[in-house]
Amino acid sequence: FQVVDHFEFEREVVSIAMSYFDRFVATHAVNRRIIQLVAITALHLAIKLFEPKKLQITCLIELSRGYFTSEHIIAMESSMLQSLQWHVHPPTPFAFCSDLLRLVSEDIHPNTRYDLEEMARFLTELSVCDYWFVT
């Protein structure tokens, strides 16, 4: 979340990037170096598709401390899109919670509804950070 928060992107982008990352790694054997490239590329792709404000590829190169070049990231993006078969709009935990909360009665007080949404957001973000939830 640090990168997303630093650039003031929506935190749901992290869930989307993790979906790309998980689905790519599930179908490819990757070593430690490549897994870092996959993570950076997944985040880049999620931001590119879901955020109005763009993140320059040079920022990602700096985040990798120059370990990867723009050519590496672009090549991995192409490989990732092919591997994902262009299925790049995955359901996210918070989207599910939002849909579920729409089923809650309209009689509920707006402050209570807001508190429920914030708790759902907090717990879904927490699940991204805790390895136990994703294994």
Side-chain angles (χ1 to χ4, degrees):
F1 289 108
Q2 291 175 349
V3 173
V4 171
D5 289 344
H6 176 76
F7 290 104
E8 298 178 351
F9 293 127
E10 289 294 322
R11 292 183 126 209
E12 194 168 10
V13 168
V14 174
S15 295
I16 295 165
M18 284 189 63
S19 173
Y20 297 163
F21 177 87
D22 289 342
R23 291 185 292 147
F24 183 84
V25 171
T27 60
H28 292 79
V30 292
N31 60 30
R32 186 176 210 180
R33 179 174 188 242
I34 299 300
I35 210 151
Q36 291 174 333
L37 178 60
V38 172
I40 287 172
T41 305
L43 182 60
H44 172 63
L45 188 56
I47 290 169
K48 190 186 228 184
L49 294 173
F50 289 92
E51 287 292 332
K53 189 170 89 172
K54 300 303 175 195
L55 179 64
Q56 297 297 320
I57 214 163
T58 54
C59 293
L60 296 170
I61 293 167
E62 289 174 19
L63 284 173
S64 75
R65 294 183 175 96
Y67 200 64
F68 303 112
T69 65
S70 60
E71 290 80 17
H72 289 129
I73 295 171
I74 292 167
M76 179 54 73
E77 181 180 6
S78 176
S79 177
M80 188 175 285
L81 286 169
Q82 289 174 356
S83 178
L84 299 175
Q85 299 175 351
W86 289 82
H87 294 152
V88 291
H89 293 334
T92 62
F94 187 70
F96 173 79
C97 289
S98 294
D99 290 343
L100 189 61
L101 287 172
R102 286 189 195 125
L103 299 175
V104 175
S105 172
E106 292 294 325
D107 297 335
I108 196 168
H109 192 273
N111 288 344
T112 304
R113 181 176 294 280
Y114 175 79
D115 290 344
L116 280 171
E117 289 173 357
E118 287 303 304
M119 181 62 78
R121 181 180 303 280
F122 171 74
L123 292 174
T124 57
E125 288 176 5
L126 187 63
S127 71
V128 169
C129 297
D130 193 333
Y131 185 74
W132 182 83
F133 286 107
V134 293
T135 58

